[in-house]
Structures are given as structure tokens and as C-alpha cells.
Amino acid sequence: MALPGLVDLHTHLREPGREDAETIASGAAAAAVGGFTAVLAMANTNPVTDTAEAAERILDLGRATGLVDVVPVGAVTKGLAGEELAELGLMHRSRARTTFFSDDGKCVHNARVMRRALEYVRAFGGVVSQHAQDPHLAGPQACAHEGELSGRLGLPGWPGIAEESIVARDVMLARHIGSRVHVAHVSTAGTVEVVRWAKAQGIDVTAEVTPHHLVLTTDLLAGYDPTFKVNPPLRPQEDVDALRAALADGTIDAVATDHAPHARHDKEHAFVDAAFGMLGLETALSVVSDVMVRGGLLDWAGVARVMSQSPARIAGLAAHGSTLSVGDAAHLTLVDPAAEVTVDRGASLSLSRNNPWHGRTLQGAVHATVFGGRVTAQKGALA
Ligand SMILES: [Zn+2]
């Protein structure tokens, strides 16, 4: 089966700054194997992607891979500090033509700063992707869904309201300004309610969910395995069910991986001290196939919508997510819907091994990826 090439709105590639965890080349290879033809590279590198030069450098390093379009995400604020706006206009006018901005990893929690960012990007049809986490309700130590289990495990709680209250504020700001806001990694049923309401009002809001929030639940934290430490945290089954339903009915527009590679020495710590994040690029299609298609919630046209067409539209990538015409340099993902894959973290092309799917058997696999008319990957390896 052929799908338009997959597009990931949320990838962390770690270059520049942490090339021991991932480089643009290794992340691009993992993306190609995972069926992706475009990935948006988050700005929380070191240095941060908050200038035109930094964005162009990511673009050029991505082009050099020849495996996937690496689209630099621009920071909303300088140094992700949440105070002064980054060079949004200069990034947009650069060769990178940035339209998608995010301080991901951090929340743009100051309402005045968020308002100014939304006003600024409106001028060129840009969008702000918000990592919704009120830092007063869920501080830097917060690492487990706040509930009975977090109390029993003695882990600092990360309550759903810390996400929901920011999303509620942001959709009202978007309405007030007439601008576009995108909600990164929706994790709770309450956020789904807010997004559903906002869309019904005609507010220009879009939302994404990660593969891990569609399947994994907070119970996995009982063993204190930092592989399952992620931000926002894994939630209870009621939230997981609401996220699946929202993806199926279009309230949530897209699946985005939040691929977050970490070196062993950053992940192998006591749970509270370990880094946040999980790998996701190589397993995303199989997870979505297994939970949504085998689960009867989406057909393959629906998968094309949530993993290619909608993310391409949200990011303004005209060359992606479209149907083929004669003479096009095709971006395609060929899928074997019946293939069973057992995930082996050792087989990854990522430089990191923080893979929460290790040992799981999933139905549906990427058979091959075609980027710009050339086969880039086949059966889990680069072509
Ligand atoms: Zn985030």
C-alpha cells in the first residue's frame, strides 16, 4: 500500500550540541527507515535555533543527508527563555522560510509573550506550537501523572490541568488575535475537550498526539524505569481512550513523534533525575497501524491524513502530503499492513536506545520510503 510520505511535526535531532545522542544525519536515517520524508527539527538544541543563521544551518545539514526534508522549527523566544521574542521575521525571510515556531521543551507561559508571538506570526501566516505546561502547576521536577500512583511512588506530580489551562488560554488568545495556534503532544481528555470546543467556535487551532500517548499508560512507571519518563507524562487509560477517539474524529489533526533521543548517561539515573523523552521515528507508523487501524478506529486513508496530509498542511509544506501527478519527484511511504514487527532497540539507526517499544510486537510496517523519487529505505535499513 502506498501513502504520501510521512511528515513529523515534532522531532528532536540534538545537533548542534548533543551529537552523542543524535545528529541530523542519524536522525534523518531513522526518519527514512520510519517512512518519513519530512521532519520538523525542534529548536531546543545548543545553541538554540533562534536566528536566521541557525535555521539555515539546520536546513543545509538536512539537505546534505539526502534522506528527508529537515525543516528547522524556529524558537519563539531568544534562548527559549520565555521573555524576548526570537528573530521570527528574520527566520521567516531566511532561506529556511520558517513558518512554524516553538519553544518546545519549555512552555511559552507568559501570556503577554504568547500574545505578541501570535500577533507577529499572523503577518506571514505562521503558527506557534505550544508545549502546554503551566510551570507553576507542573514545575521542572514534575515527572509523573498526578494521581494515586504518583503519590504511592513518591514521584512529583504533573497534573493534567497544567496542560489544559494553558491550552484554554491559548485558544482564547488565538481567537482574540485571529492567529493560528498548534497544540503539541496533547495528553489529556480535558485538553481534547478544549480543542473540540475551540474548533466548534471556528478558532484556528490544530493539535497533535504522540504514538506513545495513544498506547502507553502511567502504570508503566511502577517499575521506575526511566525509559517511560516523558514530558508530558504517560496518563491513565481514560485519557488514552479519549486521545484515540479524538484522533479518529479529527479533533486531533496529526500524529507527531516527539522523537527525543538521549545518551545512556542522561537516561540511566534514578527516575526523578533522568532526562525526559523517548525514541519514536522508527516505530510511529507501526504503532499507529497497530492501535488505530487494527483497532478499527482509522482506515489507511485516515492514517495518510494524520501522518502526512494534515501535518504537511499545518507546517505549510506544499511538496508533502499531496497526491501524485505525472512527472513529480514523489515522496511516498510503502506500507505492508499485515507484517508483524517485533521492535528491537538494538536495530535502531538512532544513536540512542531509549526505546519504550522494545520487545513489543506490532502489526503493520514500513516496507520502503521514497524521497524525491529515490528509494531511501527498505525493510528497516537504508537503501
Ligand atoms: Zn514538548
Side-chain angles (χ1 to χ4, degrees):
M1 170 164 350
L3 305 179
L6 307 184
V7 175
D8 189 14
L9 289 172
H10 197 141
T11 304
H12 296 276
L13 294 180
R14 307 303 187 206
E15 181 177 2
R18 285 306 303 267
E19 290 84 349
D20 57 328
E22 199 79 287
T23 63
I24 288 174
S26 68
V33 162
F36 290 92
T37 56
V39 297
L40 276 75
M42 280 296 171
N44 64 337
T45 46
N46 185 15
V48 169
T49 313
D50 56 3
T51 64
E53 294 71 29
E56 289 178 346
R57 172 135 179 87
I58 307 280
L59 182 77
D60 292 341
L61 287 167
R63 283 205 178 131
T65 70
L67 292 170
V68 60
D69 276 334
V70 175
V71 179
V73 174
V76 177
T77 66
K78 284 187 182 163
L80 308 181
E83 287 158 17
E84 220 184 315
L85 288 188
E87 295 179 356
L88 309 183
L90 290 176
M91 285 190 269
H92 178 65
R93 290 194 292 277
S94 77
R95 284 189 289 112
R97 286 185 283 177
T98 311
T99 59
F100 193 95
F101 297 89
S102 183
D103 273 3
D104 186 65
K106 297 207 173 141
C107 179
V108 183
H109 62 88
N110 182 317
R112 185 178 52 81
V113 173
M114 187 64 176
R115 177 186 180 175
R116 290 196 53 220
L118 288 170
E119 285 170 345
Y120 205 104
V121 301
R122 182 183 56 178
F124 50 78
V127 62
V128 175
S129 171
Q130 176 71 289
H131 169 119
Q133 177 180 8
D134 184 310
H136 303 290
L137 290 170
Q141 291 291 310
C143 61
H145 172 72
E146 184 181 283
E148 186 271 324
L149 183 67
S150 66
R152 188 148 46 84
L153 297 175
L155 295 173
W158 198 133
I161 189 64
E163 174 175 301
E164 293 149 9
S165 56
I166 291 289
V167 176
R169 180 202 76 180
D170 285 353
V171 298
M172 293 309 281
L173 284 172
R175 175 163 87 171
H176 180 69
I177 296 155
S179 191
R180 284 174 69 203
V181 69
H182 176 75
V183 186
H185 43 48
V186 173
S187 73
T188 77
T191 300
V192 168
E193 280 184 77
V194 173
V195 172
R196 186 173 284 135
W197 174 86
K199 286 188 165 187
Q201 310 307 304
I203 296 170
D204 207 349
V205 57
T206 52
E208 70 187 35
V209 62
T210 69
H212 47 272
H213 288 111
L214 288 172
V215 178
L216 308 179
T217 59
T218 187
D219 312 356
L220 287 163
L221 271 53
Y224 295 100
D225 180 350
T227 309
F228 299 110
K229 180 175 176 180
V230 67
N231 193 9
L234 301 178
R235 301 291 186 188
Q237 190 65 45
E238 309 87 87
D239 290 310
V240 169
D241 292 341
L243 296 171
R244 292 178 186 180
L247 184 65
D249 74 17
T251 303
I252 292 177
D253 301 81
V255 170
T257 67
D258 197 4
H259 177 83
H262 287 293
R264 254 193 195 118
H265 57 271
D266 292 320
K267 208 53 174 159
E268 288 180 0
H269 284 288
F271 195 89
V272 278
D273 301 321
F276 288 101
M278 305 171 162
L279 299 187
L281 284 171
E282 290 159 300
T283 46
L285 186 280
S286 293
V287 173
V288 171
S289 162
D290 195 70
V291 64
M292 299 299 289
V293 180
R294 194 171 62 83
L297 293 164
L298 276 184
D299 57 15
W300 284 99
V303 175
R305 172 169 57 80
V306 301
M307 295 191 77
S308 177
Q309 290 151 353
S310 293
R313 174 178 47 82
I314 291 165
L317 305 178
H320 290 270
S322 44
T323 45
L324 284 182
S325 1
V326 175
D328 276 357
H331 302 313
L332 284 176
T333 305
L334 305 183
V335 174
D336 182 347
E340 302 235 312
V341 284
T342 301
V343 178
D344 173 9
R345 70 180 156 223
S348 177
L349 293 184
S350 169
L351 298 183
S352 293
R353 291 291 176 265
N354 50 314
N355 189 331
W357 308 102
H358 179 66
R360 287 198 185 227
T361 299
L362 303 165
Q363 187 182 310
V366 173
H367 177 72
T369 312
V370 179
F371 171 69
R374 194 173 68 80
V375 177
T376 51
Q378 206 160 8
K379 289 193 170 184
L382 291 181

